[in-house]
Amino acid sequence: MVGSHKFSLSSVGNSKFQLAKVPFLSPLEGHICVKLQCQVGSSIEERGFLTMFDDVSGFGAWHRRWCVLSGNCISYWTYPDDEKSKTPLGRINLANCTSRKIDPANREFCARPHTFELITVRPQREDDRETLVSQCKNTLCVTKNWLSADTKDERNLWMQKLNRVLVDLRTWQPDACYSPHILLKQIGDHY
C-alpha cells in the first residue's frame, strides 16, 4: 500500500485529499486529486389515491388523484391506468420542498381529515399569479400542497415515506433543497 484516504459525504465537492500512511520514501507527495459527484438514487416508492386541494377560479376544490412517489417526485394522474399511458397531470418535486418535516395539516386551516401539508418553492414564472395555494414574491413562487389520504394509516405511511425522501435529499444533495430560513427572509414570513 502506498497511501490511503477514507472518503465520506463531507468529501463531496473537494478535489484534493491528503493521503494517510504514505511511506517516507514514496514517490507520492501525500495528496491525491479526485473529482467526486453524488446523486440521490432513492428507492422509496408509494402508489395510491390522494385527494389534492387546488384553486379553481378563486375557489378551493378537492380532486382525487392517483399519486406515485418515485425518486424525489410525486407524479399524479386521474386514474391508475393513466400512469402507464399518459403524461402526469402534474408533479411535486420534493427537492423544492421547504417543509422541515411533512406533518398533518393544521386543522385550523384545513378541516379535511387525514390531510398532510408540504410547502414547495420554485423560481417565479411570468404567467404565475397569486391563488389560494400559491404566493409569489421576490422572484419566488411558494405553494402549499394539501394532500388527503383515505385513512389515518395511509396518511401516516405517505408522510413517513415523504419524510424519508426529504432526509435523503437533504443529506446527499443539500444544495438541491431550498433552505427554509433563507426562503422566509425572501418572502417576508408570509407562509
Side-chain angles (χ1 to χ4, degrees), residues 8 13-14 23 31 33-34 38-39 45 54 60 65 67 76 80 86 114-116 128 139 147 151 158 162-163 167:
S8 66
N14 297 325
H31 289 89
C33 294
V34 177
C38 89
Q39 282 184 282
E45 288 193 2
D54 197 13
R65 301 290 185 223
C67 297
Y76 51 94
K86 296 182 180 178
H114 317 304
T115 301
F116 57 92
D128 281 336
T139 73
L147 300 102
T151 68
W158 275 94
L162 290 167
N163 282 319
V167 167

Side-chain angles (χ1 to χ4, degrees), residues 12-30:
V12 175
N14 297 325
S15 59
K16 188 174 182 181
F17 302 94
Q18 180 75 38
L19 287 174
K21 300 179 184 173
V22 176
F24 177 70
L25 298 173
S26 172
L28 294 177
E29 292 182 24

Side-chain angles (χ1 to χ4, degrees), residues 4-180:
S4 66
H5 181 83
K6 189 175 190 178
F7 293 102
S8 66
L9 185 56
S10 63
S11 303
V12 175
N14 297 325
S15 59
K16 188 174 182 181
F17 302 94
Q18 180 75 38
L19 287 174
K21 300 179 184 173
V22 176
F24 177 70
L25 298 173
S26 172
L28 294 177
E29 292 182 24
H31 289 89
I32 185 170
C33 294
V34 177
K35 184 176 179 182
L36 299 175
Q37 291 180 327
C38 89
Q39 282 184 282
V40 178
S42 180
S43 62
I44 298 168
E45 288 193 2
E46 185 60 35
R47 285 177 164 71
F49 279 106
L50 292 173
T51 305
M52 304 175 76
F53 184 80
D54 197 13
D55 181 299
V56 178
S57 301
F59 296 97
W62 290 91
H63 298 100
R64 190 166 171 84
R65 301 290 185 223
W66 177 253
C67 297
V68 175
L69 170 63
S70 181
N72 63 344
C73 284
I74 301 171
S75 302
Y76 51 94
W77 295 263
T78 305
Y79 304 107
D81 291 343
D82 293 350
E83 179 185 348
K84 293 175 179 55
S85 60
K86 296 182 180 178
T87 58
L89 296 172
R91 284 189 177 93
I92 301 172
N93 185 345
L94 297 173
N96 296 335
C97 183
T98 62
S99 305
R100 291 187 192 280
K101 182 180 174 200
I102 308 300
D103 285 317
N106 185 330
R107 294 295 296 251
E108 185 178 330
F109 301 112
C110 178
R112 189 178 187 100
H114 317 304
T115 301
F116 57 92
E117 173 182 85
L118 56 103
I119 298 172
T120 57
V121 66
R122 61 171 171 72
Q124 187 174 352
R125 296 186 289 246
E126 277 188 41
D127 62 337
D128 281 336
R129 65 192 195 321
E130 292 200 11
T131 67
L132 293 173
V133 296
S134 295
Q135 180 183 25
C136 300
K137 188 173 181 181
N138 297 340
T139 73
L140 294 176
C141 189
V142 181
T143 303
K144 278 188 183 182
N145 300 276
W146 284 340
L147 300 102
S148 177
D150 292 339
T151 68
K152 182 179 179 180
D153 288 342
E154 286 178 21
R155 180 199 64 193
N156 291 343
L157 178 66
W158 275 94
M159 289 189 321
Q160 176 189 18
K161 291 193 175 192
L162 290 167
N163 282 319
R164 184 69 241 164
V165 171
L166 289 177
V167 167
D168 290 348
L169 273 169
R170 291 174 179 156
T171 300
W172 291 97
Q173 282 184 301
D175 57 336
C177 298
Y178 282 93
S179 300

